[in-house]
Amino acid sequence: MWAILAGLQVAAVGSLAPAQQDQVLPRVTLEQALEQAAQLDPNYVQATRQIADAAWSRRAAITAFIVPAVNTQLSATKFSTEFFNIGTGEPASTIVDARVEARINLFSGLSKFNDLQRASAELDGAQARELEARFATALLTESDYYDVIAQRELARVASERVRRANEQLAVARARVVAGAAVQTDSLQLLLELTVARVELLRQNARLKVSRYQLARRIGAPGPVDAAERDTTPASALPITEEQAIIEAVAESPEVLAARASERSTDAQVRSLRGAFFPSVDLFGQISSTDEKFFPSAITRSSAGISISLPIWNGGQREIAVSQATSARDVARAARLDVELALRRDVVEAYEAYEAARATADLASQSVVVARENLRVQQQRYRSGATTIIDLITAQVSLSEAEATLVQARFATRLSLSGLEAILGRRLF
C-alpha cells in the first residue's frame, strides 16, 4: 500500500506541469487586448464603416442645395449612306454629338431639407451604434480576459489543494508507522488527494481553453495569457443607482441609436410627402455636333425652368408614405421600449456589481477564517486531538473559500463591464 501511495504522490506532482508552463506563453495587458480585439470584431468594423457611409450621405444631402447634377454625353453614329449634316453644312455619313447638361432642384416640397435631416439622423445613429459596438466588443474582451485570470487563479487553488493533500498524506503515513493513527487515515487522505488531482486536471483544461478563447478574441495564432492578476478589491461605484438610470436613459448609446432611427424615419415620411407638391428645376445644356472627335462645327446652348406636378402614379406615392409612416411608428415604439428596458438593465447590472463586491469582501474574510481553521486542525491532528475527517473538511473548506473569492472577483469585473457598456463610458 505504501508503494501505491508513493506512486500517487509522484503522479500528483507531475500533474502540476501544465500550470508551470505559464511563463512561456505570450502575455497581453487588458489595454492591448481591447485595442487588438476592436480591430478584429466584425460587428465593430461594420459599425465604423456605417459611419463613413452615413457621412457621405450627409455630404450628398448638403451639396444638393448648391451643386447641380451634371451629366455629360458623347455619341458617334455611322450611317450606311451620306446625308446632309446640319452641323457642318456638308454631306457626311458620320455624326458626332457631345453635350453637357446641368440640373438643380429649386423646390420640391422641402424634400431636400427633410433629406438633410434624415441623413444627419442616420449619421448620429451610426455614431451611437459605433459606440455601442465598441463597448460590446470591450465587454466580450474583458470577459475573456478576466476569465483567463479567474481560471488561472482557480488552477492555483486546485494546485494548493493537491499540495496540502500530499503534505497531510505524508503526515498520516508517519503517524500510521508510529502507531498513532490507523490506516484508514491514509486511505481518507488518499481519497482527498485523488479528488484534488481530478479537479486540478479539469481546471488546467479550463485554463487552456480560456487562453485559446482570448487568443481568438485578439487574433493571436496560439494561446495567450493575461498579464495582470485580479487581486485589487473592487471600489464603490462613483454614481448612485438613480443617477445611473437617468444617465442611461439620456445618453446610453442604445437609446441614442433608437432616437436617431426615429428621427430618420420621421424625416423620411416628411420627405415622401413632398412628392405631392410641385417640383421646380433649373436646367441648362450645351451641345455640339460634328463629324469628327471632338465636335466643334456647331454649338448650341439652352437654359430653362421646368415645373412638374404629378397627379396620379398608380398610388405609388400613397403606398410609399404609408410604409414610411409604419416604419416611423415602429421606430417610435422601439425607442420607447429601449428607454424602459434600460432602467431594468441598469438596475440589474448595478445590483450585480454591488452583490458581487459584497460577496468578494465576505469571501476574503472566509478565506482568512478557513486558513486559520486549517492551521488549527493540522496542529490538533498532529497531536492526536482530532480526527482525519475534521482535517479533510478544513482543507476542502479552504479550497472552496478561495474558489468563491476568485469567482466573486470575476463576477465583479464582469458586472462592471456590463454597466459601462450600458452607459457608454468608463466609470473608473
Side-chain angles (χ1 to χ4, degrees), residues 17-177:
Q20 297 173 349
Q21 298 176 0
D22 292 352
Q23 66 274 12
V24 303
L25 293 177
R27 294 194 170 192
V28 295
T29 64
L30 180 57
E31 291 75 12
Q32 292 172 339
L34 290 173
E35 181 180 357
Q36 296 176 28
Q39 300 174 1
L40 296 174
D41 190 339
N43 294 328
Y44 181 71
V45 174
Q46 180 183 14
T48 57
R49 292 307 310 164
Q50 287 177 347
I51 291 181
D53 297 340
W56 266 111
S57 297
R58 187 172 182 271
R59 294 191 194 102
I62 293 175
T63 57
F65 286 91
I66 56 177
V67 179
V70 180
N71 181 44
T72 61
Q73 180 180 353
L74 177 64
S75 63
T77 306
K78 178 70 174 176
F79 296 89
S80 59
T81 59
E82 290 186 348
F83 65 95
F84 182 77
N85 190 330
I86 192 173
T88 61
E90 297 178 355
S93 60
T94 302
I95 293 181
V96 179
D97 183 68
R99 66 183 61 192
V100 178
E101 181 179 6
R103 179 179 293 268
I104 186 169
N105 180 261
L106 300 180
F107 177 79
S108 57
L110 301 180
S111 294
K112 289 196 292 186
F113 291 96
N114 294 322
D115 290 341
L116 177 58
Q117 293 179 359
R118 178 180 55 81
S120 299
E122 290 178 352
L123 179 58
D124 293 341
Q127 292 172 341
R129 285 188 291 271
E130 183 271 337
L131 183 61
E132 183 181 5
R134 185 195 315 167
F135 274 93
T137 301
L139 176 60
L140 295 175
T141 305
E142 291 181 23
S143 175
D144 293 338
Y145 187 88
Y146 286 118
D147 185 54
V148 171
I149 297 177
Q151 298 302 334
R152 190 174 63 200
E153 290 297 310
L154 290 174
R156 179 191 58 79
V157 170
S159 178
E160 286 295 311
R161 183 178 178 180
V162 171
R163 181 188 61 79
R164 287 192 293 265
N166 272 301
E167 291 177 353
Q168 297 307 322
L169 183 59
V171 173
R173 287 177 56 191
R175 286 174 54 79
V176 171
V177 172

Side-chain angles (χ1 to χ4, degrees), residues 244-264:
I245 293 175
I246 295 174
E247 181 179 339
V249 174
E251 301 179 5
S252 171
E254 187 177 1
V255 74
L256 291 179
R259 289 171 182 166
S261 177
E262 182 183 2
R263 295 200 313 271
S264 175

